[in-house]
């Protein structure tokens, strides 16, 4: 009898999650890891806002947290991102073994940071990219009158929400939807596909060819 077992990655991936607020996507990922559904080690949750609600949630789930306050530092600055790099290295999240999940992290990363961790930074966006990048995507979708929207997990490159797409989920826009009601239904899908994408990464099942990704 032939029994196929997926080969385990030689090194366990070390996970850092970057947040700025509520952290519900972070929570979805950490809970899935806890259920042993993702072979990854949650190393640290980092917030750029000292009062981010998600910090307490992470602590309750037994994950180390840290704050790198970005007050007064412009988005995209290497000065700020260097502090992140030091903290990531202290927690053994490196360009060789790390995965950095942006989960509502409201800062643009510097080109230096992106280059350093190339192919190891992923983000969730509440729209079907390339439609409605940037802020207030759900509002943009409603104002544009689209019939379907959704969410996208993608690798982070130097553009805003432009990196190679890993997973997407579709949500129907209903007549009478408000920004809030649509956001709520999209968020349910975010909580489903973000942990799934993290698992695919941790199991070494995402291959990237230029703009395209193939998952196995
Ligand atoms: C989510 O809608 C995510 O798509 C966007 O920011 C929001 C973060 O929510 N990037 P949460 O902090 O994960 O609850």
């Amino acid at each position: 009898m032939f029994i196929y077992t997926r080969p385990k990655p030689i090194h366990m991936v070390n996970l850092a999650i970057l947040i700025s607020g509520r952290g519900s996507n972070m929570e979805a990922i950490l809970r899935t890891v806890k259920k042993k559904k993702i072979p990854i080690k949650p190393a640290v949750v980092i917030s750029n806002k000292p009062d981010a609600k998600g910090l307490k949630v992470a602590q309750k789930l037994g994950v180390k947290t840290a704050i790198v306050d970005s007050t007064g530092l412009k988005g995209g600055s290497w000065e700020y991102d260097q502090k992140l790099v030091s903290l990531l290295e202290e927690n053994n999240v490196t360009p060789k073994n790390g995965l950095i999940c942006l989960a509502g992290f409201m800062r643009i990363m510097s080109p230096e940071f992106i280059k350093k961790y190339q192919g190891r930074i992923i983000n969730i966006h509440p729209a079907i990219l390339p439609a409605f990048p940037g802020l207030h995507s759900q509002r943009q979708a409603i104002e544009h009158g689209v019939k379907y929207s959704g969410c996208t997990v993608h690798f982070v490159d130097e553009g805003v929400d432009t990196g190679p797409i890993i997973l997407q989920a579709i949500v129907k826009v209903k007549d009478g939807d408000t920004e809030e009601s649509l956001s709520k239904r999209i968020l349910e899908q975010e909580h489903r596909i973000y942990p799934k994408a993290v698992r695919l990464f941790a199991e070494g099942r995402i291959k990237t060819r230029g703009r395209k990704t193939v998952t196995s």
Side-chain angles (χ1 to χ4, degrees):
M1 190 174 50
F2 176 72
I3 301 173
Y4 176 76
T5 48
R6 191 182 299 287
K8 289 231 159 60
I10 305 163
H11 300 292
M12 179 80 112
V13 175
N14 281 347
L15 172 68
I17 306 180
L18 273 52
I19 62 167
S20 297
R22 174 177 67 179
S24 69
N25 278 288
M26 170 211 76
E27 183 175 2
I29 294 167
L30 293 177
R31 286 196 184 282
T32 316
V33 174
K34 259 199 142 181
K35 282 192 231 146
K36 302 219 181 342
K37 295 217 164 142
I38 309 179
I40 200 165
K41 183 174 174 290
V44 65
V45 167
I46 304 172
S47 172
N48 66 319
K49 302 265 182 219
D51 57 351
K53 290 211 174 86
L55 288 169
K56 287 218 173 76
V57 180
Q59 286 157 11
K60 273 197 187 139
L61 290 169
V63 178
K64 182 174 171 187
T65 59
I67 295 161
V68 184
D69 196 341
S70 64
T71 312
L73 290 171
K74 258 179 68 186
S77 83
W78 178 227
E79 187 192 343
Y80 177 82
D81 286 358
Q82 269 176 312
K83 298 183 190 182
L84 284 181
V85 171
S86 307
L87 193 58
L88 291 168
E89 281 171 358
E90 264 171 43
N91 287 282
N92 195 25
V93 178
T94 73
K96 285 220 165 91
N97 70 358
L99 173 64
I100 298 163
C101 286
L102 309 184
F105 186 62
M106 302 300 286
R107 277 186 70 82
I108 305 277
M109 314 299 309
S110 62
E112 291 91 341
F113 185 90
I114 288 165
K115 198 164 168 218
K116 191 169 174 66
Y117 288 95
Q118 201 170 19
R120 293 188 169 271
I121 315 168
I122 63 178
N123 180 44
I124 181 115
H125 182 76
I128 296 294
L129 291 170
F132 313 128
L135 295 174
H136 307 297
S137 317
Q138 302 95 329
R139 190 193 305 166
Q140 291 184 54
I142 291 198
E143 284 172 359
H144 197 87
V146 293
K147 301 295 182 194
Y148 292 90
S149 190
C151 49
T152 304
V153 182
H154 64 94
F155 284 108
V156 174
D157 66 7
E158 288 177 15
V160 175
D161 303 321
T162 50
I165 290 167
I166 303 168
L167 292 175
Q168 294 186 304
I170 301 288
V171 170
K172 190 166 170 32
V173 180
K174 295 179 185 166
D175 295 340
D177 250 339
T178 60
E179 186 181 353
E180 289 69 33
S181 62
L182 179 61
S183 300
K184 193 164 172 248
R185 294 204 310 288
I186 292 177
L187 194 64
E188 285 168 16
Q189 295 306 313
E190 295 183 35
H191 295 167
R192 194 175 63 75
I193 67 168
Y194 209 178
K196 197 169 166 188
V198 172
R199 184 162 61 79
L200 288 170
F201 185 97
E203 293 177 350
R205 291 163 62 193
I206 309 174
K207 301 239 169 338
T208 310
R209 303 251 179 287
R211 277 215 51 82
K212 294 184 187 160
T213 68
V214 178
T215 57
S216 55

